[in-house]
Amino acid sequence: EYFKNGEWVVIFVGDQGYETTFRGSRLVEGKDLADYNRRRLHSLDVVLRQWVPDAKTAYFYEGTTLIGPKQVHQVTLLNKDNLSETLFIDAKTYLPVQKQYTWRDPETREMQEEVELYDEYRTVQNVLTAFRITRMKNGEISSQRFLKTVAYNVGVGDQPFTPPVLQYDRKKK
């Protein structure tokens, strides 16, 4: 939900996306859906929960470097599907500072680099949580999230994640 009172809501269920605005609901398609599915495949959660425990994942330790003022360990993971991702782990706290990966744009055939930076960690329910997440594409900031509150293990139910009825009125103002 991007604005107050549900003015713009996007729900992703599996590999499908649904967008609801004041005009109604419609499927998220094309480039937007492909971008989301690629980011999900390379998300920190998927890398840590699926790639890391897989015996077929290869690890390459590339030494220490600096990200801003922080000394970090640079580790590249290569999974069984030949996808790679580089993680930069804080040398003092062992928390992720940055992750990056590259992919080839199917239209232009040019390599694209995507980076996520994690900062402003705070303890929430005994879990260190990044409250500022910056996403960059080809060296330029594409989005930035500043979290105000975070809660874990909250019973939400299925209703917020149920896809809406699809009807969209382009003429509605």
Side-chain angles (χ1 to χ4, degrees):
E1 193 168 314
Y2 290 99
F3 300 108
K4 291 180 182 178
N5 304 322
E7 293 176 17
W8 181 23
V9 177
V10 179
I11 300 172
F12 287 98
V13 179
D15 60 355
Q16 292 296 312
Y18 306 88
E19 177 182 42
T20 301
T21 65
F22 66 94
R23 289 190 168 129
S25 297
R26 65 183 181 98
L27 284 171
V28 175
E29 298 175 329
K31 188 176 181 318
D32 292 333
L33 184 62
D35 287 347
Y36 170 78
N37 285 328
R38 183 184 53 258
R39 283 193 308 269
R40 183 181 62 158
L41 186 61
H42 285 276
S43 72
L44 192 58
D45 189 47
V46 168
V47 169
L48 295 178
R49 292 177 187 248
Q50 294 177 11
W51 295 23
V52 168
D54 189 350
K56 294 181 180 178
T57 299
Y59 300 86
F60 303 96
Y61 179 71
E62 300 178 45
T64 58
T65 186
L66 294 174
I67 300 287
K70 297 178 183 174
Q71 183 177 12
V72 296
H73 297 285
Q74 182 175 345
V75 180
T76 298
L77 289 83
L78 180 66
N79 76 0
K80 64 183 178 204
D81 299 321
N82 207 27
L83 297 175
S84 69
E85 185 155 314
T86 303
L87 300 176
F88 297 87
I89 312 295
D90 190 307
K92 291 181 182 176
T93 63
Y94 294 99
L95 293 169
V97 173
Q98 176 178 311
K99 73 173 182 75
Q100 71 183 40
Y101 62 94
T102 57
W103 56 280
R104 187 173 301 279
D105 187 323
E107 293 176 13
T108 64
R109 305 296 299 155
E110 293 180 3
M111 291 301 290
Q112 307 291 316
E113 179 185 62
E114 297 210 18
V115 174
E116 274 191 6
L117 299 163
Y118 307 98
D119 202 10
E120 294 182 16
Y121 279 93
R122 298 182 206 154
T123 303
V124 177
Q125 295 171 246
N126 292 325
V127 177
L128 283 165
T129 305
F131 271 66
R132 183 173 67 193
I133 302 165
T134 305
R135 186 178 297 141
M136 301 176 74
K137 185 172 180 182
N138 297 326
E140 296 183 12
I141 294 176
S142 59
S143 73
Q144 196 167 31
R145 290 177 274 166
F146 300 92
L147 305 181
K148 290 170 64 175
T149 58
V150 174
Y152 293 104
N153 300 321
V154 177
V156 189
D158 292 339
Q159 195 281 329
F161 306 104
T162 303
V165 176
L166 298 177
Q167 65 185 97
Y168 190 76
D169 184 2
R170 290 188 183 274
K171 296 178 183 177
K172 191 173 181 181
K173 291 184 182 183

